[in-house]
Amino acid sequence: MKDILDVHIHTTASGHAYSTIGECIAAGKAKGLELVGFAEHTPKMPGATHDFWFLNFKVVRRVQDGIKVAMGAELNIIDYSGSTDLPAQILKRIDYAIASLHNPCIDPGSLEENTAALIGAMRNPHVVIIGHPDNPHYPVDFDRVARAAADNHVLLEINNSSYYSGGHRDGSQQTAKQMLAACKRYGVAVIMGSDAHVEQDVGNHELSQKVLADNDFPAELVINSSAEKFFEYVAYRKSLAPKGA
């Protein structure tokens, strides 16, 4: 499977990551990536950067050392309606957003509550990706989540860091089976993300690739083969935003 992009990368700005933007770009180039995307944790995450970080992306060159650079955010879903922790006036100025459920920001709810939270986040036109939706600590109805992703043209993430044995989302390999089966039923595209918190993990999708292979997931529904496909999703989602929002 061709794999030339990683848009779930954290730098020192996230507060608990250990490499800079420049170091991560160099790591991506060394691994043959054509696109790297930075999705820093947003303010409700303990230790994360201030809103101002996301307001100054205009100074970051979108091509560096021969590869494309995208500047986004990993939003925290903060209630079971799917609200997130950056306002629309900031979201419209960033390249893309991932929306995720994180334990420090929202307690795991019931299956119904968690499902409603993810589907609600998909209605935010700036959200392009739902981050690690197969986290077993937040059980969801994958049939409903996949149908909503299809209806909203949102990507579901295959998060490499979720699949480490003994990690904080241990068990995700099993829930991924259910999610990927639902994605196949509804033709939902997925995106592999490293969730790198150090430069050595940029572009590391080894465990994600194994999960996809073990579940016989069709390569044509994995968009990591094309930066253009990713930006098509971004453009479509942003086209849904009301003018000025």
Side-chain angles (χ1 to χ4, degrees), residues 33-44:
L33 299 185
E34 297 177 14
L35 167 65
V36 292
F38 296 95
E40 306 296 355
H41 288 293
T42 43
K44 290 291 184 182

Side-chain angles (χ1 to χ4, degrees), residues 99-110:
S100 305
L101 293 163
H102 290 121
N103 293 78
C105 304
I106 184 171
D107 291 330
S110 66

Side-chain angles (χ1 to χ4, degrees), residues 113-124:
E113 287 172 329
N114 299 332
T115 301
L118 294 190
I119 292 174
M122 292 183 201
R123 299 191 181 107
N124 183 330

Side-chain angles (χ1 to χ4, degrees), residues 2-93:
K2 186 180 179 185
D3 182 11
I4 53 85
L5 63 87
D6 183 8
V7 297
H8 194 158
I9 300 169
H10 297 279
T11 74
T12 52
S14 283
H16 57 274
Y18 303 98
S19 302
T20 65
I21 288 176
E23 289 167 340
C24 291
I25 290 171
K29 183 176 178 64
K31 292 184 178 181
L33 299 185
E34 297 177 14
L35 167 65
V36 292
F38 296 95
E40 306 296 355
H41 288 293
T42 43
K44 290 291 184 182
M45 178 67 73
T49 189
H50 189 273
D51 286 8
F52 287 176
W53 171 268
F54 304 98
L55 287 171
N56 199 34
F57 283 171
K58 64 183 181 295
V59 305
V60 180
R61 278 44 171 188
R62 294 309 198 268
V63 177
Q64 296 189 42
D65 203 15
I67 65 175
K68 297 181 178 71
V69 176
M71 299 299 293
E74 185 178 16
L75 307 174
N76 299 296
I77 299 172
I78 56 175
D79 61 35
Y80 302 120
S81 298
S83 304
T84 58
D85 59 340
L86 280 183
Q89 60 264 34
I90 294 178
L91 289 174
K92 70 180 181 180
R93 295 173 67 171

Side-chain angles (χ1 to χ4, degrees), residues 24 59 70 90 113 127 186 206 227 232 234:
C24 291
V59 305
I90 294 178
E113 287 172 329
V127 171
Y186 297 105
E206 182 178 357
E232 285 171 6
V234 171

Side-chain angles (χ1 to χ4, degrees), residues 203-217:
N204 179 8
H205 298 147
E206 182 178 357
L207 296 176
S208 294
Q209 290 176 351
K210 185 176 188 305
V211 165
L212 292 170
D214 287 348
N215 289 279
D216 195 26
F217 196 75

